[in-house]
Amino acid sequence: MENQEENQIESFDSAAGESVGQAEEPVNPPEPGTPESAGERRGFIKFLCAFIGTLISAVPFGAGVWSYFDPLAKRNKGGGDGFVMVTTLDAIPADGSPAKFSVVADKVDAWNRFSNVSIGAVYLRLVDGVPKALHTVCPHLGCFVDYRPGNKDFFCPCHNSNFKLDGSLAVGVSPRRMDPLDIQIRNKTEVWVKFQNFQPGHSDRVPV
Ligand code: FES
């Protein structure tokens, strides 16, 4: 009987010993401040830097690819042919005096599309019933030219250049006359202007 009990005890011991031998070591997180935790932190920071670097370089690259392939980005402002509808014929003074009109169009660059924004202004006037367009920017250094109804002329206040109604230089330092712009009448009454900017300071018109 005693032998039997001893055998049982031995078998329990051996079973306990086996189970202790098979048990997995508990995995404890590295203590803060130990070399293991510092290594993990360094690894995470490296990954984060690589991720942010990739993101930063991917965004402009993607925008460049988009602007290269997107046909909208290649479109001229306001219309495919560069003409923008500015007003209708009946809005231009019938007496031949100039009136200033904003040029409103869609503006597209590599990053954004802005709908219906002002991209400049033109003076329109009727000459024998035919509309003529002049850019409102002075060809000297780019100030805005005013129309003076009392004098029936255009005047740039920056350096006192004076222009006649047809845009030719009367007196002043401007190297060329006011810039005329092409016009088309569409659908009988719509006034479309080929709006473009020119570099100031040149005697020739150099498109921007
Ligand atoms: S900017 Fe107009 S005269 Fe100089």
Side-chain angles (χ1 to χ4, degrees):
M1 186 70 177
E2 272 182 23
N3 280 345
Q4 250 183 349
E5 283 177 357
E6 278 174 12
N7 286 341
Q8 274 181 344
I9 289 167
E10 272 179 19
S11 71
F12 286 144
D13 282 349
S14 85
E18 277 176 15
S19 76
V20 168
Q22 288 171 353
E24 289 182 1
E25 289 287 327
V27 180
N28 293 325
E31 291 289 327
T34 61
E36 288 84 3
S37 76
E40 280 186 10
R41 213 167 36 244
R42 269 198 301 274
F44 176 70
I45 290 170
K46 274 185 193 168
F47 168 76
L48 199 62
C49 290
F51 179 72
I52 292 172
T54 306
L55 205 63
I56 289 172
S57 55
V59 169
F61 176 75
V65 170
W66 177 83
S67 67
Y68 181 80
F69 288 107
D70 184 12
L72 293 174
K74 295 175 195 162
R75 256 183 15 182
N76 213 334
K77 298 170 194 169
D81 54 3
F83 279 84
V84 179
M85 185 189 158
V86 174
T87 186
T88 51
L89 275 174
D90 56 2
I92 304 173
D95 63 0
S97 58
K100 190 174 177 179
F101 294 87
S102 281
V103 179
V104 176
D106 291 351
K107 193 174 178 180
V108 179
D109 60 30
W111 298 93
N112 302 295
R113 168 195 284 258
F114 303 97
S115 296
N116 297 322
V117 294
S118 175
I119 58 171
V122 292
Y123 285 113
L124 296 177
R125 77 182 182 107
L126 293 174
V127 179
D128 298 329
V130 178
K132 304 284 181 187
L134 292 172
H135 209 301
T136 55
V137 170
C138 180
H140 180 222
L141 290 179
C143 291
F144 285 106
V145 175
D146 297 324
Y147 171 59
R148 300 191 299 189
N151 295 40
K152 290 193 182 329
D153 68 359
F154 294 104
F155 178 69
C156 178
C158 288
H159 309 97
N160 301 332
S161 282
N162 239 158
F163 302 92
K164 297 178 185 172
L165 277 184
D166 64 0
S168 58
L169 182 66
V171 60
V173 293
S174 178
R176 63 177 191 265
R177 51 166 292 143
M178 289 171 73
D179 296 315
L181 298 167
D182 290 345
I183 275 194
Q184 285 184 356
I185 304 300
R186 298 182 183 177
N187 302 318
K188 294 186 178 167
T189 59
E190 296 173 359
V191 180
W192 290 67
V193 175
K194 186 166 188 174
F195 187 77
Q196 59 185 136
N197 295 308
F198 300 94
Q199 291 180 14
H202 298 283
S203 54
D204 296 328
R205 277 200 301 280
V206 181
V208 174

